[in-house]
Amino acid sequence: EGISPNAFTFVSILKSCSNMEFLKMGEEIHAHVKKQGLLGKNTILGTSLIDMYLNCGVVGKAKDVFDQLLVRDVVCWNALINGYAEHGVGHEALKLFKSMQEEGIIPNEITFLCVLKACSTIRCAEMGEEIYGEVKKQGLLNRNVFLCTTIVDMYAKCGMLEKAQRVFDDEIIVQHDIIAWNALIGGYAQHRY
């Protein structure tokens, strides 16, 4: 009908392209976005492209999009950190977290969840303990059962079962849910207890 798509149109379409079957379409959308010069300062569109590439398993292209963004907010950083953690490149996720802080971006609860997930995948208890300390200092534990459960999971996967049990017992204020129980039981099973 002669109506040109805008950034919001592309964001909507990119959500539909977030699986391997539609990677080609996502790449075509990316080409249109570049051609129209929409990417540089539009963090929502940039994050949508990053998510699409990560959901399709194309980590390198997600990082390329991230590097092209002139403005990067905490949501954009979280998307890439989480994608790295989910694709087994936890060390890179932790490097991104440090870079994010060096750029003055303040981590939020989602950031901490993503970084803790990265610590779990690479069994980096030292960084996990740092994050746990920061989360506790900011008073986020009593508001977010997911953070508590992720900390339990991190300690359990790192073989620090006493600390996992302590967080499970002391920090999870609301009723323990099945995810928290599974994280703790899984840790004991993994380490043959």
Side-chain angles (χ1 to χ4, degrees):
E1 293 185 14
I3 299 170
S4 296
N6 63 15
F8 295 107
T9 310
F10 290 130
V11 167
S12 298
I13 294 169
L14 286 167
K15 287 181 183 182
S16 299
C17 296
S18 286
N19 67 52
M20 285 304 286
E21 294 174 29
F22 298 110
L23 174 60
K24 187 75 174 154
M25 173 66 83
E27 291 173 327
E28 289 174 21
I29 299 303
H30 187 182
H32 285 292
V33 166
K34 283 172 77 171
K35 185 177 177 183
Q36 291 186 25
L38 296 174
L39 187 57
K41 292 185 180 181
N42 192 323
T43 56
I44 295 170
L45 182 54
T47 302
S48 294
L49 276 166
I50 290 167
D51 278 339
M52 184 273 299
Y53 281 123
L54 289 170
N55 289 335
C56 292
V58 189
V59 177
K61 283 194 177 182
K63 179 67 164 75
D64 290 343
V65 170
F66 179 83
D67 290 340
Q68 292 171 23
L69 294 175
L70 301 175
V71 177
R72 298 186 286 223
D73 63 7
V74 70
V75 177
C76 182
W77 282 96
N78 288 348
L80 195 59
I81 291 169
N82 185 57
Y84 274 37
E86 289 203 354
H87 288 286
V89 281
H91 291 289
E92 293 301 315
L94 297 182
K95 285 180 189 174
L96 279 170
F97 176 65
K98 291 212 182 275
S99 296
M100 174 183 146
Q101 292 177 305
E102 288 167 3
E103 286 193 18
I105 305 295
I106 298 170
N108 62 18
E109 292 177 33
I110 303 298
T111 312
F112 293 130
L113 282 167
C114 298
V115 174
L116 286 163
K117 186 188 312 181
C119 292
S120 294
T121 61
I122 62 171
R123 313 296 191 254
C124 184
E126 185 179 317
M127 176 64 106
E129 286 196 294
E130 278 183 43
I131 299 302
Y132 175 39
E134 184 59 32
V135 165
K136 197 169 185 170
K137 186 174 115 182
Q138 291 186 24
L140 301 175
L141 290 178
N142 52 2
R143 292 194 327 230
N144 192 324
V145 71
F146 297 113
L147 269 172
C148 293
T149 301
T150 304
I151 292 166
V152 169
D153 184 61
M154 182 273 302
Y155 277 134
K157 286 183 177 165
C158 291
M160 303 172 82
L161 297 172
E162 286 181 29
K163 288 188 177 189
Q165 184 72 56
R166 195 172 321 123
V167 172
F168 182 85
D169 292 338
D170 298 344
E171 302 291 0
I172 301 179
I173 307 300
V174 295
Q175 182 180 8
H176 297 109
D177 66 1
I178 191 73
I179 298 167
W181 279 106
N182 286 343
L184 190 61
I185 292 167
Y188 280 114
Q190 179 182 359
H191 296 284
R192 303 180 196 279
Y193 283 95

